[in-house]
Amino acid sequence: MDSRRAAQILRETGKLLTLSGANSFRVRAYERAAAALEGLTEDLAERVHQGPPLTELEGIGAGLAEAIVALVEQGSLDLHQELLERYPPSVLELFQVEGLGPKKLQVLVEERGIESVEALEAACRADELVDLSGFGKKTQERLLRSLAELARYRDRHLLPAARSLGEKLIGEISTWSKVIRVELAGSARRCVETVGDLDLVASMAAEDRPDVAQKLQSLDGIERVLGAGETKVSLRIEGGWQVDVRLVDEEEFASALHHFTGSKEHNIQLRGRAKERGLILNEYGLFDDREGEARHATGNRLTVADEEALYRRLDLPWIPPEMREGRGEIALAERDELPELVEVSDLRGTLHVHTDWSDGRADLETMVRTAKDLGWEYLGISDHSQAAAYAGGLTPERIREQGLAIDQLNAELEGIEILKGIECDILTDGTLDLPDDVLAELDFVVASVHSSLQMPTEQMTERLVKALQNPHVTFLGHLTGRRLLRRESYSFDWERVLRTAAQHRVIVELNAAPARLELDWRYIPAWLATGLPISIHPDAHRPAGLMDVQWGVAVARKAGVTADDVLNTRSLAGVRRWLSDRRLD
Ligand code: DGT
Ligand code: CA
Ligand code: CA
Ligand code: ZN
């Protein structure tokens, strides 16, 4: 039972409890515990058996700790099983239908036995819900639309696409004279690797709201207006996007921006902190609650001009949005120990770059000149090895030829140094795709799995462990092989693999390609605890791909990574020292 599966079971239990009419505190307890487990970096079974107790984790109380122990021991949770006897797993999909809150859901399930998205659709089509309490013709029509959209928009989006749409919208809206401030919020602002809907917050004078709401509905690319109220306009924008724009008064802006940035966990924790100080924090503002009736009571409003001021009122320094995941950042801020997060400009070069010697789209010189224009001091080229035939992988002979081409370019170019590397396939038996004497001539070796991804866990673990033992391997490439929103990670004992990597001083790269973004940021703190740095690699196949390092930096910031934690913030000499001696300066 790994922690992710355990978290999933707890989340499902929470949802099913909602249906059974459990009170919201009980449901929340399951959600909180699930979030805590998702953040757990150690092996769950080990933690349960060897302590410290689970109750030391933020969000896990005594009752849930007991449930998790049982879950680990038995491989299942009694309550979860019981609930699944009462409701089929398909009811869980109903939680994704827009416009179907817990109350309505309960009515559907309890009174009509509707237990799947398909059943809901059939009932709507057969006009069967009109007489249900809380439903009607309109609800039914709305549900049908939601269902159609669910099928089409179930997908989330990769971070770069979300940021680029966000920037485009903000660029446009910020030019409107009636809008005072507009900013991106939600998961896109927090730089989560996949983004559901896009959230924007805009401030304006109350009397300007109707105009702004109107203008929003005529933005480019709108397929449909989902809703346009006093305070919120929701849009479907082509490409499968939902965009929620909140319209707020200027004095509400800071607290609204903060609220809709989230995460929900961070907000809940911060709200608790406000309460301890006799304050109420919500999306409308920060209120003095000493008279005990603050909500909307503008007389009690405290002025918060911006997020800095909001945090200051709560005796905290401003917390960067990336870190607002409710994973201990408030405690860090409280002790004034927030890390100084790495920035793209801290990178002095990068490694793991492809050229047209294998499957890259640009030639060596173009890639290197682009890197030089970015101000980088070095660029590590690592084309594919021969086993990756589909990618035109290099034979030993081609590698030597490429080496000569690199020598020549290095002699010609000033101000940037090309490092010679290879992205060497890890074959199914864990040996490398190239002989040791070929690997020994290179500056660095990224070892990656590209084939037989479906291997059983045990075998994949052995495969990776064996590869890590090769003394020429300097980096482990894209750890789990995941392709976000498309392909799951392959399965292995990641705890053992990371431990072995650290033992052999092989750096597990942070592959910054937007669909990979792994080593997953949730595991980076555990990796750094081994004393080894991370290294942020673009895995670029074209010149523009070099800038993908920005997404690696973005998710590294979520993990609280500083410049010092990253190998390629070092000078060329520093990187060479690591590659030859596996020592940091
Ligand atoms: P997403 O859209 O799934 O990628 O993730 P978010 O984080 O953008 O979530 P979203 O769009 O549902 O809501 C935006 C933010 O609004 C969220 O991060 C925190 C805040 N928020 C939403 N619902 C709640 C809630 O029930 N309680 C609290 N405290 N905050 C909420
Ligand atoms: Ca969102
Ligand atoms: Ca939203
Ligand atoms: Zn690769």
Side-chain angles (χ1 to χ4, degrees), residues 294-362:
R295 230 173 167 15
H296 289 289
T298 42
N300 296 343
R301 175 190 293 281
L302 303 177
T303 309
V304 281
D306 50 28
E307 283 189 342
E308 278 85 353
L310 180 67
Y311 282 103
R312 212 179 309 122
R313 288 277 194 183
L314 302 173
D315 305 312
L316 293 172
W318 180 77
I319 299 179
E322 295 94 324
M323 292 191 74
R324 299 181 198 167
E325 295 292 345
R327 291 168 184 267
E329 69 278 5
I330 294 175
L332 278 181
E334 166 142 65
R335 298 197 301 270
D336 210 16
E337 287 172 8
L338 283 176
E340 197 171 311
L341 300 178
V342 62
E343 292 174 17
V344 178
S345 59
D346 291 323
L347 302 185
R348 293 172 72 169
T350 195
L351 302 92
H352 195 166
V353 169
H354 296 268
T355 72
D356 61 4
W357 282 77
S358 68
D359 63 347
R361 299 296 168 81

Side-chain angles (χ1 to χ4, degrees), residues 474-477 501 505-509 527 532-535 567 578:
T474 37
F475 301 98
L476 184 57
R505 301 188 75 71
V506 174
I507 295 178
V508 178
E509 74 173 2
W527 170 255
L532 269 77
I534 60 167
S535 195
L567 177 70
W578 177 270

Side-chain angles (χ1 to χ4, degrees), residues 550-575:
Q550 69 185 297
W551 309 116
V553 168
V555 293
R557 289 167 63 88
K558 297 189 72 56
V561 168
T562 66
D564 221 34
D565 296 329
V566 181
L567 177 70
N568 51 322
T569 59
R570 306 289 192 286
S571 64
L572 173 63
V575 171

Side-chain angles (χ1 to χ4, degrees), residues 373-447:
D373 290 344
L374 290 170
W376 288 347
E377 295 168 32
Y378 49 88
L379 188 69
I381 301 294
S382 54
D383 274 305
H384 288 284
S385 63
Q386 54 198 5
Y390 60 90
L394 305 185
T395 59
E397 193 186 335
R398 292 276 290 157
I399 291 169
R400 287 196 189 98
E401 278 172 41
Q402 191 188 41
L404 294 176
I406 289 175
D407 289 339
Q408 199 178 354
L409 200 54
N410 265 336
E412 277 170 42
L413 285 178
E414 300 261 303
I416 186 159
E417 180 83 4
I418 311 162
L419 297 172
K420 293 178 199 166
I422 191 81
E423 181 176 10
C424 187
D425 266 41
I426 300 174
L427 304 179
T428 42
D429 63 356
T431 59
L432 294 189
D433 183 30
L434 290 162
D436 280 358
D437 62 322
V438 175
L439 298 178
E441 282 173 32
L442 298 165
D443 295 317
F444 69 99
V445 173
V446 180

Side-chain angles (χ1 to χ4, degrees), residues 73-122:
E73 314 262 60
Q74 306 167 18
S76 64
L77 191 67
D78 289 346
L79 178 59
H80 183 246
Q81 296 289 320
E82 279 162 35
L83 287 162
L84 278 178
E85 261 162 49
R86 222 169 123 189
Y87 310 102
S90 59
V91 297
L92 292 164
E93 292 166 19
L94 290 171
F95 285 85
Q96 295 184 36
V97 179
E98 207 187 320
L100 208 52
K103 285 221 175 63
K104 282 206 175 68
L105 251 170
Q106 219 186 323
V107 173
L108 282 180
V109 174
E110 293 300 324
E111 294 190 37
R112 288 293 155 91
I114 289 175
E115 297 183 325
S116 69
V117 166
E118 291 72 28
L120 176 60
E121 186 169 356

Side-chain angles (χ1 to χ4, degrees), residues 154-168:
R154 197 172 280 174
D155 277 357
R156 297 171 64 84
H157 304 267
L158 296 180
L159 178 61
R163 298 285 297 203
S164 112
L165 177 60
E167 273 154 32
K168 187 180 130 201

Side-chain angles (χ1 to χ4, degrees), residues 463-508:
R463 180 182 183 184
L464 291 167
V465 163
K466 180 149 185 220
L468 289 166
Q469 287 164 351
N470 183 307
H472 301 296
V473 172
T474 37
F475 301 98
L476 184 57
H478 44 71
L479 179 66
T480 79
R482 77 179 182 190
R483 306 290 297 186
L484 292 168
L485 307 179
R486 273 201 306 174
R487 185 172 81 204
E488 288 293 303
S489 307
Y490 47 72
S491 158
F492 62 96
D493 177 349
W494 77 271
E495 215 267 314
R496 183 164 164 230
V497 168
L498 291 192
R499 189 165 11 96
T500 309
Q503 255 165 27
H504 294 276
R505 301 188 75 71
V506 174
I507 295 178
V508 178

